[in-house]
Amino acid sequence: MKINYIKYHNYRCFKDVTVKFDTTKNKNISLVMGVNGSGKTEMLFSFQWVLYGLNFKSLREKEETPYSLNSALYHQLEVDRHANSVDCWVELSFTNKGTEYFMKRTETFWRSNDKVTSNEKVELSHTETNGERTIPETNKDVVDELLSRIIPKSILEGITFDGERMKKLNLVGDQSIETIKNVISLVTNEKLFELCSGEIKDVNGDIRKEKMRINRQAGNASAEELINEIGELEDTIEEKTISLHGVGVNLDRVNNKIEEISTKLSELKDAEELEQKRKGIEKDLQRVKKSFEQNTEAFYKRLSDGYALVTDQLINDVKQSIENIDIPAGLTVEAVKSILKRPKCICGCEMSSDVIKHLTDMLSTLPPDNISSTLLYMANQFEGEKKRTGKLLKEAYALMKGDEEELAKLKVQLSNIAQSLVTNASETVRELGRERDEQLQLHGRLTQDEERFEREKVMAEKRLKEAKAELEAVSGNMEQQKILNAQQEILDLFKKAIDKIGERNSELSLLSINAYLSKAYSLLSEDTGRGIYLCQHEKKEKYRLVTYVKSKYDAMLTAWTNSGQLKTLQDEGLSESEIHEKIVLRVVEGKSTGQSKVNSLAFAKAILDYSNEDRATDKLKVSHDYPFLIDSPFTELSGKNLENVAEYIHTFANQIILMADDKSYGGVAPYVAPQVNSLTKLLKNEKEGITYIK
């Protein structure tokens, strides 16, 4: 992909301006020069606005103009009741795979009910092989779909950079992680596997409809109802799975935020001691919570087995019904049979025929052959079981009650610490304390949602299994039904295979991106003994960009090797990459502002290198050729960091649109100028608030 020009009409500081971007293979930089405030950053954001739209209110330090229209024209609409509507538009020309495309976004503003309102429209056209331009497509959804095949919205976060975005990539938290994740999901073709899964779902739906049709024709209402229920259950399971994933992501964000707040509190002198104490209590709280759950589970298990506790009336009734039968305890049929086998009675006398007859007659009155005797025997057993169960329940209840009381005490202690942070500390500490309380409340709500979604998913899965078995039973031997069932089984296997291949593709892609990242970092950063890494295994840390000290890494690797911990991890099945990540996260290093910029630039280069690599032998991956747009890459850099970035910035992509001011560019011109093909200078008319070009 190559950008040819961008044209403006009444767009923010650009009234009527066209900027062309000429590049060649050897000179691939289009340089845009201008002092601060001349419109460089406005130009950078205009690429995003024309392609997919942009919420200008989200741009920091630009709140006074949260709209696309030139501010002077906007204010005129605000004050002039008779003002006409005004159009603002941007047109972008770019070439992809030999075809030139023209994307135009127009926003019309007018005054209505003393307020300025607006609406947008889009147009996307291209040149045919005969050179003629097609009729523009104006359906926004269709335009977005067409654009996403060439330059998806999320990839813009990886190829367009200003100072603010470069900082965001290095923040510890969900914002940078989400940005990196969105970029990587596109360049690694994760979307491709999602589309495959979607297609499988559609085919499965078609099979389900066919089953419904067959059973409807056969008058099999039960089967039709079950098929409908199975479809609903499958949708429910998918919905709960998505919900669980969303809750999991949000829980990770909340946990990261809580940890971030904790770190800040630990660094503040007036909160350090309380924070350490709070951490200790929270550990105790987790331990007691686990014990409480285990003891509660044991109590309810004992309770479910404690049927003997409610047998008093039954036992009394049984005993009353057989109270006229006097049978010595322990005297059973087996005992009498044993006596009859002896030549003499247990008293030592000879076994006469009368004694033998008497004992034989007794057999019918003894347990277990005699029901009354058996009941008496069981009644005695129940009484013993009741005493044992009562004892075990009391023990389990005492343990559960003890944990409950300890939990209450720990919660009071935590509440007291929170109160101390609010009343006795600085305003910063109080604010952090309040923020953490909000996050903890959110964590509680998310945990409840997670448990509920998991419970509902398990119930749906159980019912789905039952419904499928019922469907098979009521469908009988219908040959068509069997064929459709077989097709669905194959689809299920295919979906599982696609999911596995997708997971493996993502894993290998991240390994490759990390290799490119390491090379880019070595190329751009001065040698400070640091390494860079993009987390890919730990769930809470995945897609986090970190730097670490190599000497500390080597020391920890040696320690793990000598202590046997490395072998233990290997025996547990951890890969070399997983072990590497565990060590990296132990030796993560903080970053200065300048170093953060190098990290972001290294990430951008790694993404572009990965996108542009030759994948002729890999059918699952597609090569892209994205341009690279960057504003003020040289500010806040110094020494070798500055020199390296300037010298190698032309290697980022086949087309570089570089924006810089005279001061920052002047020091690096000898490195950059040999690769510059076109130069555009932005000139600002301060009185009119309009930017011209030279």
Side-chain angles (χ1 to χ4, degrees), residues 47-101:
F47 289 96
Q48 297 178 58
W49 185 75
V50 66
L51 289 169
Y52 289 102
L54 180 68
N55 179 13
F56 291 100
K57 294 179 182 178
S58 66
L59 302 181
R60 292 187 179 183
E61 299 177 0
K62 294 182 171 59
E63 290 83 354
E64 69 276 9
T65 54
Y67 37 78
S68 60
L69 183 64
N70 175 268
S71 59
L73 295 173
Y74 188 92
H75 292 318
Q76 185 177 344
L77 285 173
E78 285 184 312
V79 299
D80 187 353
R81 290 178 176 272
H82 306 290
N84 296 321
S85 63
V86 183
D87 283 345
C88 150
W89 55 257
V90 176
E91 182 180 83
L92 182 70
S93 163
F94 58 92
T95 302
N96 185 63
K97 296 181 179 180
T99 300
E100 185 176 8
Y101 294 85

Side-chain angles (χ1 to χ4, degrees), residues 395-597:
E395 291 174 354
Y397 181 76
L399 290 171
M400 183 177 70
K401 198 67 178 174
D403 287 338
E404 193 174 35
E405 290 171 357
E406 190 174 355
L407 277 172
K409 289 178 183 177
L410 289 170
K411 286 179 179 178
V412 169
Q413 291 177 27
L414 274 178
S415 177
N416 290 337
I417 288 176
Q419 187 64 28
S420 296
L421 283 171
V422 172
T423 57
N424 302 326
S426 66
E427 181 57 35
T428 301
V429 173
R430 287 197 291 272
E431 183 59 38
L432 288 170
R434 285 191 289 266
E435 190 177 353
R436 184 177 55 203
D437 288 342
E438 291 173 2
Q439 294 298 320
L440 288 171
Q441 290 174 13
L442 178 57
H443 189 279
R445 292 195 296 272
L446 288 170
T447 302
Q448 289 178 349
D449 288 344
E450 187 175 45
E451 291 171 354
R452 176 167 57 85
F453 292 145
E454 185 62 45
R455 188 166 58 250
E456 291 170 350
K457 181 183 176 184
V458 169
M459 289 173 62
E461 287 172 338
K462 181 182 178 182
R463 177 55 195 152
L464 179 62
K465 189 175 180 180
E466 294 170 351
K468 284 183 175 179
E470 291 172 18
L471 177 61
E472 191 172 344
V474 301
S475 296
N477 296 319
M478 294 173 63
E479 196 62 35
Q480 289 175 297
Q481 195 79 35
K482 288 182 178 179
I483 293 171
L484 293 172
N485 286 340
Q487 289 177 352
Q488 281 188 317
E489 288 177 9
I490 292 171
L491 279 174
D492 288 341
L493 291 172
F494 187 53
K495 185 178 184 307
K496 289 177 182 177
I498 285 289
D499 291 342
K500 285 289 183 184
I501 294 170
E503 290 172 8
R504 183 59 176 159
N505 174 70
S506 178
E507 181 182 342
L508 293 175
S509 297
L510 282 169
L511 283 172
S512 181
I513 288 171
N514 256 316
Y516 277 120
L517 180 63
S518 183
K519 289 179 183 177
Y521 188 74
S522 298
L523 192 70
L524 302 177
S525 177
E526 62 180 325
D527 186 8
T528 58
R530 289 186 180 90
I532 196 168
Y533 181 73
L534 180 64
C535 299
Q536 63 181 90
H537 299 293
E538 291 282 342
K539 184 181 176 183
K540 287 176 62 176
E541 302 289 346
K542 193 170 184 179
Y543 300 116
R544 180 182 165 198
L545 191 65
V546 299
T547 54
Y548 62 94
V549 179
K550 291 180 179 178
S551 60
K552 291 182 179 179
Y553 176 95
D554 293 339
M556 184 159 286
L557 177 60
T558 301
W560 282 18
T561 303
N562 294 338
S563 67
Q565 187 171 351
L566 184 65
K567 188 176 187 308
T568 300
L569 294 173
Q570 291 170 338
D571 292 342
E572 289 174 357
L574 269 70
S575 66
E576 183 179 338
S577 175
E578 288 172 314
I579 295 172
H580 172 70
E581 182 170 302
K582 281 187 175 294
I583 300 175
V584 165
L585 289 174
R586 294 287 189 92
V587 292
V588 169
E589 184 80 346
K591 303 172 286 292
S592 65
T593 304
Q595 193 62 44
S596 294
K597 178 168 278 192

